Amino acid sequence: MSALDSIRNIYCVGRNYALHAKELGNDVPEQPMIFSKPTHALHPAEGILRLPGGVGEIHHELELVVRIGAPYEAGRPLGQLIDGIALGIDWTARDVQSALKEKRHPWLLAKGFKGSAVLSEFIPYEGDSRFSELQFSLTKNGATVQAGSPAEMIFSIQALVDYIGLHFGLDAGDIIYTGTPAGVGAVQDGDVIEMKLTPPGGAEISFGPLRIELQA
């Protein structure tokens, strides 16, 4: 069984980086904005990723992902709840999402299609302070297009775990996409994507490459 097969619930956080909210003309939220994706959306961070064509622009949204390893209990330290971190891409059909937002409809059609939750391999979680010092980036065809650090998040990982755990529940196998920094943008057929993670004081870890195919 692959690591993707062991995942249960996929929680995602919208607008958790102020510059990203501003680049899309959105207000900065006063509490976490949570949505979810089906597990059918999961896709490894290498190989060929087939995304829907003909629906308008498909945008990359690079994110740090945390994996829950034990049942949530209020007050339980993060080190006892989180057992891994990874990089992921929350792919978004932006034109579809804009139309749904105008109608005040849910975002699932724009966020939950097959392949819309790319996920790398996990590395150990080494505590909140080291998590905040992580640096991560996304390259497209060799050029860096997104970069950020969880130190820039509006809602900390502690706040996100508490909010999701209280309102929805968290248990082993659940994952949280923690939000994307500025720099989201559309991909074209044939683009090659790579994700990079730099732990504090450590060497850069690369995930990919992932080649994009837009299907009719």
Side-chain angles (χ1 to χ4, degrees):
M1 181 173 67
S2 73
L4 299 186
D5 294 329
S6 66
I7 292 170
R8 298 178 62 200
N9 295 301
I10 304 171
Y11 296 106
C12 303
V13 184
R15 304 179 194 174
N16 200 26
Y17 287 75
L19 291 179
H20 168 61
K22 292 177 180 178
E23 76 179 342
L24 296 183
N26 295 318
D27 294 331
V28 174
E30 296 181 359
Q31 63 183 20
M33 293 180 58
I34 308 300
F35 61 95
S36 65
K37 291 176 181 269
T39 54
H40 296 295
L42 289 166
H43 191 284
E46 60 185 6
I48 296 175
L49 175 62
R50 296 177 176 87
L51 296 173
V55 296
E57 292 189 346
I58 304 290
H59 283 200
H60 55 75
E61 297 191 10
L62 175 68
E63 314 208 1
L64 273 168
V65 181
V66 299
R67 183 177 62 196
I68 303 299
Y72 173 79
E73 296 177 8
R76 192 170 189 178
L78 288 179
Q80 297 179 15
L81 290 171
I82 299 172
D83 71 355
I85 58 175
L87 288 178
I89 303 176
D90 164 23
W91 292 100
T92 304
R94 189 68 68 199
D95 295 330
V96 174
Q97 185 191 38
S98 296
L100 292 170
K101 287 166 65 175
E102 288 182 3
K103 298 177 181 178
R104 298 181 180 271
H105 288 179
W107 296 355
L108 188 58
L109 283 173
K111 291 281 194 177
F113 50 88
K114 289 182 179 180
S116 64
V118 162
L119 187 64
S120 77
E121 298 175 1
F122 283 89
I123 65 173
Y125 176 77
E126 298 182 343
D128 190 28
S129 60
R130 288 181 63 83
F131 179 82
S132 298
E133 296 176 10
L134 291 168
Q135 301 288 329
F136 60 103
S137 63
L138 178 76
T139 65
K140 181 172 67 174
N141 303 324
T144 300
V145 291
Q146 277 192 277
S149 167
E152 304 164 2
M153 295 195 309
I154 297 169
F155 301 103
S156 68
I157 188 60
Q158 181 73 67
L160 295 177
V161 167
D162 286 337
Y163 187 89
I164 296 171
L166 175 64
H167 288 86
F168 308 107
L170 282 169
D171 208 335
D174 293 343
I175 61 173
I176 304 172
Y177 281 66
T178 60
T180 191
V184 303
V187 289
Q188 305 296 324
D189 187 62
D191 282 348
V192 176
I193 299 291
E194 289 188 88
M195 301 184 293
K196 299 180 180 181
L197 177 64
T198 306
E204 180 182 84
I205 305 169
S206 295
F207 301 102
L210 188 66
R211 186 178 184 276
I212 305 302
E213 288 188 1
L214 297 181
Q215 296 185 311

